[in-house]
Amino acid sequence: MKKVLVVGGAGYIGSACAEYLLDHGYEVTVFDGLITGHRSAVDPRARFVEGNLEDRELIMRVCREGKFDAVMHFAAFSLVGESMQNPSKYFRNNLAFGINLADAAVAGGVERIVFSSTAATFGQPESIPIREDDRQLPINPYGESKLCFEKVLKWYHQIHGLQYAALRYFNAAGATGRYGEDHRPESHLIPIVLQAARGKRDKLMIYGDDYDTEDGTCIRDYIHILDLAQAHELALSAPESGHYNLGTGNGLSVKTIVEAARRVTGREIRTEIAPRRPGDPARLIACSDRARKLLGWKPQFENVEAIIESAWNWQLSHPEGYPD
Ligand code: UDP
């Protein structure tokens, strides 16, 4: 049985990945400081260590004692807008504290690290769909902090032999039966649309309808968290270290998402056009051929209504989010 340390396993994507690993016979330890994560999102089958990567001694000890085969690193701040106000928070947490984890992995003899990277490392894409080797020119400290850590991994691989996979998520969405999206405050499109459908919020503000797209609203590539989880598990046995873009390859506009959510929920969803949100590229769509070919990855949720339906079911069963 493989032993995996899931850092950030109480967060949105980390909790779903921890569940997926446990369902597939792995032994999982979750390490999370519960700053944005939730204690009740930690799978009860996992061992839980409460701590932050800022605590270098603690993560060193956990990795030395744990005898882990692999580390998955989900622990990060991920709000673009906040990163433009407070870059220090992003470079300290996502880069400097991440280095504590990379050092601990080396010291603990961990073979491999699977890192949550992001489409935001590309900035304004030079072409669509976005391929792994396209130019990476982040336009905010969040994307830059993730790109810096990708580079740390490349050098740790070369110098220390630490294997790595940097998985660049496009728009993570959906829920498993038990684990779903509960950011406070929520800023992501699908949970906000569904909150508007439930009447928990008045309406959705659509950030700009004057983009150069078919209906004027931004286009994104929504990928289910279970498909991300599958990619993480496959990355544990990837033949070589490298980078993978993870999306379905389907680009959907904000208005298309609202229409799909109306069909799934059968509810009215009010919208209002608002100014553009700074830093939003018009179009982000992944080319995931590399993950499909080298990892054997195949997303199961290619239909956005199924993604939205899973998020809707989770909201209905967790109307106030997680209890803690
Ligand atoms: N969006 C929106 N209203 C909202 C939240 C998001 O119009 O209340 C838009 C946002 O401008 C972007 C898309 O929905 O074009 C997806 O945004 P999200 O924050 O979910 O993910 P991002 O693409 O920023 O990672």
Side-chain angles (χ1 to χ4, degrees):
M1 188 201 310
K2 282 203 163 175
K3 291 180 79 172
V4 183
L5 177 67
V6 179
V7 178
Y12 173 43
I13 305 168
S15 58
C17 283
E19 179 186 41
Y20 186 92
L21 292 175
L22 288 157
D23 287 346
H24 287 77
Y26 290 81
E27 189 181 320
V28 172
T29 298
V30 167
F31 182 96
D32 199 298
L34 304 180
I35 297 174
T36 53
H38 305 274
R39 181 64 183 89
S40 46
V42 177
D43 195 298
R45 296 168 292 174
R47 180 176 156 242
F48 178 56
V49 179
E50 185 171 344
N52 291 306
L53 292 181
E54 185 174 5
D55 189 341
R56 186 173 166 90
E57 270 177 38
L58 176 63
I59 191 62
M60 281 282 182
R61 194 167 68 241
V62 167
C63 281
R64 280 215 176 90
E65 290 171 359
K67 307 263 178 292
F68 302 110
D69 299 294
V71 166
M72 292 188 177
H73 178 24
F74 298 92
F77 292 117
S78 61
L79 298 177
V80 167
E82 185 186 53
S83 81
M84 294 292 282
Q85 306 289 325
N86 188 357
S88 166
K89 179 173 175 177
Y90 281 72
F91 287 112
R92 280 159 50 81
N93 188 83
N94 297 1
L95 176 60
F97 303 159
I99 292 172
N100 288 341
L101 176 60
D103 287 341
V106 171
V110 173
E111 236 168 73
R112 182 179 301 250
I113 180 163
V114 183
F115 171 56
S116 303
S117 191
T118 166
T121 57
F122 290 101
Q124 295 286 356
E126 55 181 343
S127 57
I128 293 289
I130 303 174
R131 293 172 192 278
E132 281 79 3
D133 296 335
D134 286 357
R135 183 191 61 200
Q136 285 177 293
L137 215 54
I139 53 172
N140 50 63
Y142 166 62
E144 190 79 72
S145 69
K146 291 281 188 174
L147 178 58
C148 288
F149 197 71
E150 285 194 359
K151 292 180 179 171
V152 168
L153 292 179
K154 189 192 84 175
W155 288 108
Y156 273 49
H157 172 54
Q158 191 168 315
I159 295 163
H160 297 300
L162 180 65
Q163 302 284 343
Y164 74 93
L167 305 183
R168 298 174 184 143
Y169 312 157
F170 280 61
N171 284 64
T176 75
R178 281 192 284 179
Y179 305 116
E181 194 162 10
D182 180 4
H183 297 112
R184 300 184 193 181
E186 191 53 75
S187 67
H188 293 101
L189 179 64
I190 291 179
I192 288 179
V193 167
L194 296 177
Q195 286 175 356
R198 285 196 291 135
K200 194 172 161 64
R201 53 173 92 215
D202 190 35
K203 60 190 164 201
L204 167 77
M205 307 302 286
I206 296 180
Y207 298 140
D209 69 347
D210 56 352
Y211 284 93
D212 183 18
T213 60
E214 290 70 12
D215 65 19
T217 63
C218 286
I219 290 182
R220 294 288 181 274
D221 184 338
Y222 295 87
I223 176 80
H224 197 281
I225 51 171
L226 269 173
D227 287 328
L228 294 179
Q230 185 206 11
H232 282 75
E233 201 261 333
L234 291 167
L236 292 177
S237 44
E240 58 189 59
S241 289
H243 310 88
Y244 302 90
N245 291 352
L246 297 179
T248 60
N250 300 321
L252 298 169
S253 73
V254 175
K255 283 185 177 169
T256 309
I257 293 291
V258 175
E259 283 308 322
R262 286 183 178 131
R263 284 195 297 278
V264 168
T265 64
R267 306 268 180 101
E268 188 196 352
I269 299 172
R270 295 181 54 226
T271 62
E272 186 180 314
I273 305 299
R276 290 183 179 197
R277 189 171 66 176
D280 271 344
R283 224 179 267 267
L284 290 175
I285 303 172
C287 169
S288 300
D289 290 353
R290 193 175 142 82
R292 290 172 196 260
K293 212 163 113 193
L294 295 188
L295 301 180
W297 181 65
K298 184 170 184 334
Q300 308 296 307
F301 289 82
E302 308 229 45
N303 169 348
V304 80
E305 294 195 4
I307 296 180
I308 293 174
E309 190 178 2
S310 71
W312 179 238
N313 290 336
W314 195 81
Q315 281 206 9
L316 292 180
S317 57
H318 299 77
E320 302 300 327
Y322 287 110
D324 50 320

